[in-house]
Amino acid sequence: MTSFVHNNALRTAWYPVARVSDIADRPFAVRLLAQDLVVWRSADGALVVAPDRCPHREAPLSIGTVTDGELACAYHGWTFGSLGTCVAIPSSGPNAAIPRTAHLPCMHAREQYGLVWVCPGEPAMDIPRVVQDSDPAFRRLNTDVETWATSTPRLVDNFMDFSHFPWVHTGTFGGGQDPIVPKLDIGPLDDDFFGYAYEVDASNPDEAVAVSGSDDDVVHRSMSTGFALPFVVRSTIRYDDGLEHILLLCSTPVDDLNSLFTFVVWRNDDHSTDPEEILKFDRAIGAEDRAMLERVPGTLPLQRTGLVNVQSDKPSVEWRRQFAAILDLK
């Protein structure tokens, strides 16, 4: 099995771990790169992300309570404020000195695209840009963060590939799609994403009408798919009438074999359309991917000879090559 989560290079990237709305008045537990973390808001509303372990007797801080932005451990009441600073040790009294080792080592955290992003180390890259997020013609739709029992590289490999569409997505848009994949040109799509553009005729069942804006049985899509290292994929869909549907597919390693997954949608449609009508179809597509990926065991082989590839695999092979390079795998 190819283990990757403990590679130090991955600690310099940003990972979405929750929706902004998930961080409320209680500590939030999440696991990232095989490390348990706790997330809460300090008194000024800033995100605080730290190891989910009290430095006193190692109780999980996520079972504690937050009062006025300070997190109290459920075991002995040690209390932590902004920047993870220990502000109270009840057993020592109000004026006792607090050991330097009592403070929590916090991580970088940001809110973007309705998501909480965490970087465990010093950021070596920025969160990839989605220009539609600042365009008033587009609205943003967020979805739940799910835990998938599949390795994160398998998610990215899947999202970079469209040869599986007529086989996996028969219940949504893949029915009747030509299984032959034309030659693909791979390269930069913009400053943030690397991938390819292509044209496809997709099935348009009744469930997809709200997404496509058309009631035709088949709709033409001008698409592009690209990755931003290590694990973010963007899929853009443009219909012939000018409607655009942008998906940011966010996969985060819980550990080598499990992932967090969420997707964000931007659309320049009639903003009064019920978001649930739009997201329902995209969720059904994701469920088809999940049903397949959770049946594929282990991590994705990253070495060149680990898998058999054909010309249609060119995009995912290129992602694997670049990902292996940042891990410094030989």
Side-chain angles (χ1 to χ4, degrees):
M1 185 180 81
T2 304
S3 178
F4 62 94
V5 294
H6 297 293
N7 191 295
N8 284 332
L10 293 184
R11 296 184 60 81
T12 65
W14 290 95
Y15 303 95
V17 298
R19 297 173 303 172
V20 169
S21 59
D22 291 329
I23 313 303
D25 56 354
R26 292 186 292 182
F28 184 87
V30 69
R31 189 168 172 82
L32 169 65
L33 296 175
Q35 182 179 9
D36 292 317
L37 306 177
V38 61
V39 186
W40 80 96
R41 289 192 184 278
S42 63
D44 62 0
L47 291 168
V48 186
V49 181
D52 191 10
R53 169 189 170 278
C54 182
H56 178 221
R57 287 299 182 269
E58 301 185 319
L61 292 169
S62 57
I63 65 171
T65 56
V66 176
T67 304
D68 296 330
E70 295 180 344
L71 172 59
C73 177
Y75 198 1
H76 295 92
W78 286 35
T79 303
F80 306 89
S82 61
L83 304 179
T85 303
C86 183
V87 295
I89 299 177
S91 64
S92 298
N95 299 314
I98 293 176
R100 287 187 305 167
T101 51
H103 306 307
L104 301 176
C106 290
M107 300 178 180
H108 297 278
R110 283 173 54 183
E111 299 179 33
Q112 194 157 325
Y113 312 141
L115 299 173
V116 174
W117 298 72
V118 175
C119 178
E122 286 304 312
M125 59 194 77
D126 204 354
I127 297 169
R129 290 174 297 171
V130 178
V131 297
Q132 289 81 4
D133 196 60
S134 59
D135 186 339
F138 287 79
R139 60 170 168 166
R140 187 187 70 224
L141 307 176
N142 282 92
T143 61
D144 292 342
V145 178
E146 301 175 336
T147 301
W148 288 19
T150 189
S151 184
T152 304
R154 290 201 183 276
L155 278 161
V156 181
D157 178 76
N158 175 80
F159 295 145
M160 287 303 299
D161 159 61
F162 80 95
S163 66
H164 74 278
F165 288 1
W167 308 101
V168 173
H169 297 300
T170 55
T172 52
F173 68 92
Q177 184 174 317
D178 187 348
I180 297 176
V181 175
K183 182 180 178 181
L184 300 172
D185 294 322
I186 311 295
L189 297 173
D190 50 36
D191 290 339
D192 294 84
F193 291 91
F194 194 96
Y196 61 100
Y198 59 107
E199 308 285 324
V200 64
D201 290 324
S203 294
N204 191 46
D206 292 343
E207 297 84 356
V209 168
V211 177
S212 66
S214 169
D215 56 9
D216 293 340
D217 292 338
V218 176
V219 290
H220 180 74
R221 293 172 162 189
S222 298
M223 302 185 64
S224 71
T225 298
F227 63 84
L229 290 168
F231 301 120
V232 176
V233 173
R234 184 192 64 191
S235 179
T236 71
I237 305 168
R238 183 179 178 87
Y239 296 95
D240 290 343
D241 63 0
L243 174 64
E244 293 185 53
H245 188 89
I246 316 297
L247 294 114
L248 194 68
L249 305 166
C250 300
S251 307
T252 294
V254 173
D255 51 38
D256 281 322
L257 296 176
N258 298 278
S259 305
L260 300 177
F261 174 70
T262 188
F263 65 92
V264 187
V265 173
W266 289 263
R267 284 173 61 87
N268 61 344
D269 61 355
D270 180 353
H271 292 193
S272 66
T273 304
D274 182 2
E276 285 306 308
E277 287 299 308
I278 295 166
L279 294 175
K280 182 167 60 176
F281 190 68
D282 280 332
R283 288 193 186 105
I285 296 169
E288 291 172 326
D289 284 321
R290 182 177 185 175
M292 175 57 68
L293 290 171
E294 290 191 336
R295 286 170 170 79
V296 183
T299 59
L300 184 76
L302 297 175
Q303 293 77 12
R304 278 185 160 184
T305 58
L307 297 168
V308 178
N309 298 293
V310 294
Q311 66 87 21
S312 61
D313 299 311
K314 187 176 179 180
S316 57
V317 167
E318 178 60 21
W319 171 78
R320 280 168 46 221
R321 185 191 69 78
Q322 293 192 28
F323 179 60
I326 66 171
L327 300 185
D328 198 26
L329 297 180
K330 304 303 181 184

